[in-house]
Amino acid sequence: MRHTSAVDGWRRFGEPRFRNYHYLALAQGVVGVLAGFDVVIPWALAMGCPPFAAILLGVLPLAGGIAQLVVPRLLDRTGGNLRGLTILIAAVGEPRGLYFAALAALYAAGIVSGPVALVALAVLLAITSVLSSVTGANLLSWHSAVLPDQDRRLVVPRLLAVSLAIGALLLLPMAVLLDSLVHAIGVYAYALPFVVSGLLGLVELWVLRRLRHPGVVLVPPAAATADSEPTPELNRFFRSTTINALGMGITPSFSVLIISVLGMTAGFAMTTGAIGTLTMVVAAAFFGDRLTRGSSSRMLRGSFGVRAMAMTAALLTWPLPMLAPVLIIAAAMLGSIGFAGGQLASNERLFRLVRGPQVVRHYARYLARTSGAMTIGQLFSAGVIAVSGPAAPAFAGLYGASALIRVYAFRDARPTVAEVPASPEPVVEPLPAVQSAN
């Protein structure tokens, strides 16, 4: 019965009325993966970036979550023009692959030195990551405004699954190709995935112009609404997701571990990323179907436990060095399962806990808190590695700490007896023009 329901859901998503969302999934999948950290981190290391600085690069996109706090004010200043604001921000941020490609070519040609190129990369990442994060959050608000609740539950998880699948399927052959091209033409090779990403970023802008207009989107001041104060359930949601985000931040990048500690190739690092992304595709499809009938709070709590298992698998690479490649891939797969389930459950949990325009405000708070916690964690992780160097004990300690933090988040998310619902978890449909996934 469940299998039939899942097949029917994908069949419905394939209907012509969702054609623009199919195009959006294609564009976002290519942009997100080929201009993402699975490519950027190996490229930065190839330009001579120290391992601790490569981890610090991961801090830069987190500012996008904090920047989401200004979205209600921007909507107010633009008269609630969510469509125009989103397209304008996307026009700068989504073709970022073209900026990276130009920088890769300048460095390979010797026009720009390594230190200058790394500083330029950090600046580009900081700017485009903020813009991309705001674009993604605004698109969730856009989907909520133009799609009935039933269609939103159908489209959003499948949009994520398809975009991840497309990106991963491109990343696998690109990983093999890059290892060969780097030997032949050096770091010029990294311009290839970036160019492809940049071109699809332009396609994404074309798709955004084709989506239904979301109308006027205004978020009233908190003082003007009766439901502006978080409930105990919402407070616990904020707390447990923030704890988990701290664990995410402490986790060193698998690319840095693979290349700088284990001495494997950039191609293997990208292949591991592609396998993780493909796993996330299956997980997103599975969890998306489960969320139509199941509990978002239980799914979110379970995702913390799965991520603790992922960190444990990474930790086992030191006592079991012969199994290191298998354990790293297992850690990537488990982490992807936990991330997909947690991302979908977090979004849906907010839909079910918050009514009306306050969804936008509380979603901004959620992003700001989790992004801040991840920033603190990554700064701590980078500091440890800066002091110790790319040493195995430091990485092992960080993965172990991350696992323990996820266990604590799992325990913290356990509902009290008074909060366990006697009936299935209610589904709250947000009002039009409100709503807002590492």
Side-chain angles (χ1 to χ4, degrees), residues 328-387:
I328 289 297
I329 291 174
M333 294 176 70
L334 287 169
S336 296
I337 293 169
F339 180 82
Q343 189 80 352
L344 291 172
S346 294
N347 289 338
E348 189 61 31
R349 188 67 180 148
L350 275 174
F351 275 125
R352 297 179 182 184
L353 289 174
V354 183
R355 295 176 181 268
Q358 290 307 314
V359 171
V360 175
R361 189 181 309 282
H362 286 307
Y363 191 82
R365 291 174 180 172
Y366 158 69
L367 286 179
R369 292 183 186 202
T370 53
S371 298
M374 288 183 67
T375 300
I376 293 171
Q378 290 203 318
L379 289 173
F380 175 80
S381 176
V384 169
I385 296 173
V387 172

Side-chain angles (χ1 to χ4, degrees), residues 99-321:
Y99 316 148
F100 295 159
L103 182 59
L106 290 173
Y107 171 77
I111 299 174
V112 174
S113 66
V116 173
L118 290 172
V119 171
L121 173 60
V123 172
L124 287 174
L125 276 174
I127 296 173
T128 60
S129 296
V130 168
L131 297 178
S132 180
S133 177
V134 174
T135 297
N138 283 2
L139 279 175
L140 285 174
S141 300
W142 193 334
H143 299 333
S144 176
V146 301
L147 293 172
D149 190 59
Q150 184 178 10
D151 284 348
R152 174 184 60 78
R153 289 168 177 266
L154 175 78
V155 168
V156 173
R158 288 164 181 81
L159 182 64
L160 173 65
V162 173
S163 66
L164 289 172
I166 290 170
L169 291 174
L170 272 176
L171 188 58
L172 277 171
M174 191 68 70
V176 176
L177 181 61
L178 266 181
D179 267 351
S180 301
L181 286 178
V182 166
H183 287 295
I185 60 175
V187 289
Y188 275 115
Y190 285 97
L192 174 61
F194 294 143
V195 167
V196 175
S197 171
L199 294 177
L200 267 293
L202 298 177
V203 172
E204 182 178 346
L205 296 176
W206 172 77
V207 176
L208 292 181
R209 295 179 63 87
R210 291 169 55 91
L211 295 179
R212 284 174 53 198
H213 201 297
V216 176
V217 181
L218 290 172
V219 182
T225 59
D227 59 348
S228 60
E229 291 301 319
T231 62
E233 293 88 350
L234 187 58
N235 278 328
R236 185 144 50 85
F237 166 79
F238 283 143
R239 187 175 63 245
S240 62
T241 53
T242 300
I243 293 170
N244 173 70
L246 179 65
M248 291 179 67
I250 286 178
T251 305
S253 165
F254 283 162
S255 293
V256 177
L257 169 66
I258 290 168
I259 295 172
S260 299
V261 179
L262 300 180
M264 300 178 184
T265 67
F268 179 76
M270 292 173 62
T271 300
T272 300
I275 292 172
T277 304
L278 285 173
T279 304
M280 203 181 300
V281 172
V282 179
F286 173 77
F287 290 127
D289 179 59
R290 289 284 300 273
L291 272 177
T292 61
R293 295 174 299 277
S295 168
S296 59
S297 60
R298 284 195 294 270
M299 184 178 295
L300 179 61
R301 183 170 183 250
S303 75
F304 300 152
V306 172
R307 285 185 263 202
M309 294 168 59
M311 296 302 96
T312 302
L315 186 60
L316 291 174
T317 57
W318 285 279
L320 301 171

Side-chain angles (χ1 to χ4, degrees), residues 387-437:
V387 172
S388 67
F395 277 74
L398 291 169
Y399 286 122
S402 180
L404 291 175
I405 290 172
R406 308 305 178 83
V407 170
Y408 184 76
F410 178 83
R411 289 176 58 85
D412 184 74
R414 181 174 53 195
T416 63
V417 175
E419 293 170 342
V420 176
S423 57
E425 193 176 60
V427 176
V428 177
E429 180 176 355
L431 296 179
V434 294
Q435 215 292 21
S436 188

